[in-house]
Structures are given as structure tokens and as C-alpha cells.
Amino acid sequence: MKAIKNLTLILCLVFLVGCLNYSSTKNFKKLDASVVKIDDSTYPVVIIGGGFAGLTSSIYLSQGNIKHVLLEGTIPGGAITASHSVCNWPGEKNISGIDLANKIKEHAISSGANIINAQVNSVDFSVWPYLINIKENNQDKIIQALSCIIATGATANFLDIPGEKEYFGHGVSKCATCDGPFYKEKTVAIVGGGNTAITDALYLSNIAKKVYLIVRRDTLRASGKQTDTVKNKSNIEIIYNTNIKKVIGDNNKVIKLEIFNNKNNSTSELNIDGMFLAIGAKPNTELFKNKIDLDEQGYILTHKNQKTSKSGIFACGDVCEPEYKQLIIAAGDGARSAMHAQSFLAKIGFSTPNTNIENNVQDQAQKITPEKQDVQEIAPAKKSVPTKNLTQKSQTFGSVIEVTDEQQFAKEVLNYKGKVVADFYAHWCFPCKMMHPIVEKLAKELNTIKFIKTDVANVEILAQIWGIRGVPTFILFENGQEVARFSGGRDEVAFKQIINEKLNN
């Protein structure tokens, strides 16, 4: 009797495996690439995301002569562009994140990559070819994909505590490289105990007078030589077993933190000038909820060879890596995704043309759309600089005026009778570079408004006078008086809306 049961079980398993194999084969037969016309809106592969994983996929597809398009999204080059120092990329002993990202992007373009700066509005993976709704140059359109590689990365977390969002850009920052130089000889706090926190602490210790590293556990998660350096740096103090409960400011800038010792249950205040967040990230997978399988944290579930739960859709990089967020891993994932996408295309009957892929690369600088940041506009601050002898507005502009000193600022802004948009940027700041093409475009379009820009790294006195504590910061003036300001990036539509509302344009 037992033998009969075992035989029955074996027969059932054989039947089940046969059904699964049939189902898999049948699925590929349903997806017949030979009947799909590849045109300007249909691609063998669409890569969503322009970080290291996506760019590496693009390099491999280009060298394999597979037509594809890479949609850069809001952060060309990925999150690493905010890092001032990368020390673990093979062949580069020490290089900035943006320089390394530019090298990878240049490699992709020289290989034949088609890169466009577009954002994805939605995806439809219930039909094939897969449908991807994108926004490019403020125009919505739909493109089709036989296969898709998702490389959307992850976004740095907030603490979600009182005062944090209110003072973002005014003492609260996610980017030590961008905003660190504003805290020369000041006191700052870094929140986090991982590799990013350690790197930021070392960087800021060379600028700030005092650096507090606030860790909620009794040990650092980071390891290696940099950890030992942090522990031995005279102006870095590590505060263990501590949570931040509240960011406290004076309605203009951060002045202190309310902290809680979770070991002895005591509450105290810590006087600081700025707080930098280095507390991990969440995957950028909102687009893919209920479209492909995600884990409990929202990361894309991948199986062998970067495959997702949908045929022909692959994921790579931080969007599917909850533990080790490393460039080298993202690049490896990207290469593997590209090769398996190519294998998938072959299985569904797609034949690679013998001609070289046309490189349709557009002018990247004119298409950059920055990431919108959660920053709160603050009330205009009163300045002591006089606004005498206002110049009458009697001309149109159309370009952005570079202001290089305090006297020129007074002439172009404070003593000008009319409307002015002032861009306070820094030449090292990647989000600032992302905003430049948008500012230039709006200056041409809104040519009755004067647009000026000033590099606060070179004109520090203006940063001090106008209380600039984060870049980019935009201040709107009318008749020499500040009427509004905001920090962080905006897309073109949102930026234009703010200008029209605040300046009654």
C-alpha cells in the first residue's frame, strides 16, 4: 500500500513539472517578437533609471547591438552623484561620485546608448509589448517595450519627526557634499551609523568645528578603516543609544535638537547649526506596486538572473538590494540584466539587426528635471541693505545674469524696480547643475522678469547676508524686496507656477 502511495506521488510530481515546463514554453510562444514592428516608440528593451545599474545595462546592450532607450528619471547618474568621495570603485583610488557617474555615462554614450531625460508616469505590464507612459519635455507619451530593465534605485529616508521637513534646506540636509561648506567652523550633527554616515562625518570634520555622530544603537553598523578614523578624530563625537525626537529652530534656521537616550530613558537638548541625514533609503517602487512582486519593504523580488515575476522584466541595483547598496553590485546586476534580457529576446524570436544602432542621444543638459524636494517656503527675512535709487524696468531680458559681488547684486536686484528671480547655487552642487537648464529656459520664456544667479561658494558674503544654508536656494524679489524663497529643486512646471503665484506674473 505504501509503495502505491509513493508511486502515485511521484507520478503527480512528474505531471506537475511537465505542466509547469509546458506553461513556461507556451508563455514564450505567446510572446512573438517577429510580429512586432520596432519603430520610434517601440523598443526591444527599455531601461528605467539612469544610475550605475541602468547605465551598465545600457553599455552591455549597446555593445550587443540591441536597440534600447534609457530613461534617466530625476537623478541622472543616481544617488552616488551626491557623494564627495568614492574609494572602493576598482581602478579609482579616490573619485567624486559625480565624476565617476559622468565617466560611466560617457562610456555608455560612446558605446551607442540612447539616453533621454524623461520621467515615467505609469507602466502597464498586463499587456505585451509592455506599455510605459513617460513625460519628456513636459509632454506625455507612451512607448512600448518587448523587455524592460528596472533600475530606479532608492531614495534617502527622513526621520519623520517634528521640525524636520519645516527646516529642510534651512539646517536640515540629506547631502553633506552639497551643503557641508555652509557649516565652516560651525557645529553639525549626522544621524546614522552606516557607511554613508561615516563618510559624511569624515568629510564634515574637515569643515565644521564640531561633528556629532548620533547612533540609535550601541555600535556602528559600518566597518573598515574609515570607522577607526572616525573614532579617533578629535572633533568627532559619537553619541550612541540615542534617537532624535525633534528639530528645533528660530523660524529661520535650526538651532538645536531634542534627543532621547534609549538606554537610560533621559531627554536632553543638543545645540547645533545643522543636521545631516544618513539613515538609509527606501526603494523607488511606487510605479510597480501590484504590477510585479515586491517584498514587505517594497524592494523588487528577483529570482535567478535578475528576473522578476513577469517574463522579460528584470530589476537591478538598489531597487532590489535591501542589504548591500554598493556600486559594484549595482553594476554587476546591470550587466547580468542586460545579458538575460538579450537571451529573453532571442527566445521570443527577436533578431538583432546587423546594422549599427543609431545613437539618438539628445542634448542632455537641456532636458534635466531635478528631484522635487520637500522643503517649506519661509517668510521673507528683513535685510538691512538699502534699496535706494530704484532703476526703472524698461527692458526685456531672456538670459540669466551672473552676479559676482555684493555691489553688482545691489545694482541688479536691490536697486531694481521690477521682478527678479535670484538663483543662489554652488558650483560643486549636482542638484544646482540640474536646475541650470530650467532656469535658463524660464529666463527666455518669462523675459520681463530678471533672472540672476550667484555662486555662493565664491561670493560668501551674499550667502551670509541672505541666510543661505542650502543649495540651490531661490529668492524672489519685487522692487528690491524679498517676497518668497524656497530651497531644493523643482521641475519646470512647478517652478514656473511658484514664480507666477508669488510675483503675480
Side-chain angles (χ1 to χ4, degrees):
M1 188 68 180
K2 187 176 182 180
I4 294 175
K5 286 184 177 179
N6 289 338
L7 179 61
T8 303
L9 179 61
I10 291 171
L11 288 173
C12 288
L13 288 172
V14 170
F15 177 75
L16 178 61
V17 171
C19 287
L20 289 174
N21 285 337
Y22 171 75
S23 176
S24 178
T25 304
K26 187 177 180 181
N27 188 37
F28 278 121
K29 286 182 179 179
K30 284 183 179 178
L31 306 182
D32 185 0
S34 65
V35 300
V36 179
K37 181 182 178 182
I38 303 300
D39 54 25
D40 290 340
S41 62
T42 304
Y43 299 87
V45 183
V46 172
I47 303 170
I48 304 176
F52 273 55
L55 288 169
T56 304
S57 290
S58 181
I59 290 171
Y60 274 73
L61 290 172
S62 296
Q63 294 179 351
N65 201 27
I66 301 294
K67 181 184 177 183
H68 66 282
V69 63
L70 185 151
L71 310 174
E72 275 192 318
T74 55
I75 310 180
I80 193 61
T81 54
S83 176
H84 74 285
S85 176
V86 177
C87 304
N88 56 5
W89 183 261
E92 297 286 355
K93 293 181 179 179
N94 195 327
I95 185 172
S96 72
I98 190 169
D99 286 343
L100 183 56
N102 284 337
K103 280 190 173 185
I104 305 298
K105 184 174 180 178
E106 288 168 8
H107 186 176
I109 292 172
S110 67
S111 297
N114 177 22
I115 301 175
I116 64 173
N117 189 269
Q119 298 181 58
V120 178
N121 299 322
S122 63
V123 297
D124 186 351
F125 293 157
S126 66
V127 296
W128 186 87
Y130 299 122
L131 302 180
I132 303 171
N133 185 306
I134 68 172
K135 182 182 289 291
E136 182 186 8
N137 287 337
N138 292 320
Q139 298 294 319
D140 291 336
K141 66 179 181 179
I142 293 176
I143 60 175
Q144 299 184 102
L146 305 187
S147 178
C148 183
I149 296 174
I150 301 171
T152 48
T155 299
N157 289 326
F158 277 105
L159 288 168
D160 290 327
I161 59 174
E164 181 184 38
K165 298 285 180 69
E166 289 83 349
Y167 287 101
F168 189 79
H170 305 283
V172 177
S173 173
K174 289 183 178 181
C175 181
T177 307
C178 301
D179 300 333
F182 295 111
Y183 296 88
K184 186 176 182 180
E185 294 301 314
K186 295 182 181 295
T187 300
V188 298
I190 300 168
V191 188
N195 291 322
T196 300
I198 293 298
T199 302
D200 287 353
L202 287 175
Y203 174 71
L204 291 169
S205 69
N206 295 321
I207 300 171
K209 175 177 63 177
K210 178 74 175 183
V211 177
Y212 292 106
L213 183 58
I214 302 176
V215 185
R216 61 188 175 93
R217 301 175 180 175
D218 58 1
T219 185
L220 295 171
R221 285 189 296 108
S223 60
K225 291 182 178 180
Q226 285 191 321
T227 301
D228 294 333
T229 305
V230 163
K231 290 178 179 179
N232 295 321
K233 199 79 184 284
S234 61
N235 66 334
I236 297 178
E237 180 180 341
I238 305 176
I239 305 177
Y240 292 106
N241 302 304
T242 298
N243 299 85
I244 299 176
K245 306 299 289 184
K246 185 179 182 180
V247 177
I248 302 170
D250 61 2
N251 294 323
N252 184 36
K253 63 184 184 301
V254 172
I255 58 173
K256 64 178 70 173
L257 301 176
E258 181 182 308
I259 59 177
F260 174 75
N261 186 302
N262 54 49
K263 195 169 185 178
N264 60 26
N265 294 326
S266 64
T267 300
S268 60
E269 292 184 344
L270 185 67
N271 293 325
I272 62 163
D273 299 296
M275 180 181 78
F276 293 84
L277 301 171
I279 51 172
K282 63 179 179 181
N284 299 321
T285 53
E286 285 293 323
L287 284 169
F288 312 111
K289 284 183 177 179
N290 304 317
K291 308 294 175 66
I292 53 177
D293 290 347
L294 309 177
D295 70 9
E296 292 180 353
Q297 295 176 279
Y299 288 91
I300 296 176
L301 284 171
T302 54
H303 310 285
K304 187 179 179 182
N305 304 325
Q306 307 304 131
K307 295 178 181 177
T308 70
S309 56
K310 284 282 187 178
S311 295
I313 299 179
F314 305 85
C316 51
D318 290 358
V319 74
C320 58
E321 177 51 69
E323 189 172 4
Y324 300 112
K325 291 179 170 58
Q326 297 294 313
L327 294 179
I328 196 71
I329 294 175
D333 285 353
R336 194 159 41 236
S337 295
M339 290 187 284
H340 287 288
Q342 191 168 356
S343 175
F344 167 79
L345 291 172
K347 288 178 180 178
I348 62 172
F350 175 76
S351 57
T352 306
N354 293 323
T355 56
N356 290 330
I357 302 174
E358 180 183 0
N359 183 359
N360 293 323
V361 179
Q362 304 288 331
D363 180 4
Q364 306 296 322
Q366 296 302 317
K367 294 184 174 183
I368 291 175
T369 303
E371 178 182 12
K372 181 178 179 179
Q373 300 180 39
D374 293 321
V375 291
Q376 178 175 331
E377 295 173 23
I378 67 172
K382 293 183 178 180
K383 306 299 170 186
S384 60
V385 185
T387 57
K388 299 177 179 179
N389 302 320
L390 295 180
T391 304
Q392 295 294 323
K393 181 180 71 174
S394 59
Q395 62 187 75
T396 58
F397 301 96
S399 61
V400 183
I401 301 169
E402 181 79 37
V403 171
T404 58
D405 57 44
E406 191 178 355
Q407 290 71 31
Q408 187 184 5
F409 188 88
K411 174 186 175 183
E412 300 290 354
V413 180
L414 303 180
N415 297 333
Y416 173 69
K417 187 176 181 180
K419 301 171 182 178
V420 181
V421 175
D423 174 6
F424 293 84
Y425 73 98
H427 60 266
W428 67 75
C429 166
F430 186 68
C432 300
K433 293 178 182 180
M434 293 168 64
M435 284 299 298
H436 286 337
I438 292 176
V439 175
E440 292 283 353
K441 185 176 180 180
L442 289 178
K444 292 178 181 178
E445 183 179 342
L446 307 176
N447 60 10
T448 59
I449 298 176
K450 183 187 290 189
F451 282 73
I452 70 101
K453 62 181 180 180
T454 184
D455 185 349
V456 294
N458 296 327
V459 195
E460 293 183 8
I461 184 64
L462 289 178
Q464 294 171 12
I465 291 174
W466 293 97
I468 306 301
R469 304 183 72 83
V471 284
T473 289
F474 297 91
I475 303 181
L476 311 184
F477 294 86
E478 186 165 8
N479 297 332
Q481 299 295 318
E482 177 182 340
V483 296
R485 70 164 66 192
F486 65 91
S487 297
R490 293 289 191 278
D491 62 34
E492 182 185 333
V493 174
F495 195 1
K496 185 177 179 180
Q497 183 178 356
I498 293 172
I499 293 173
N500 288 336
E501 288 178 357
K502 301 301 180 182
L503 293 179
N504 298 315
N505 196 47

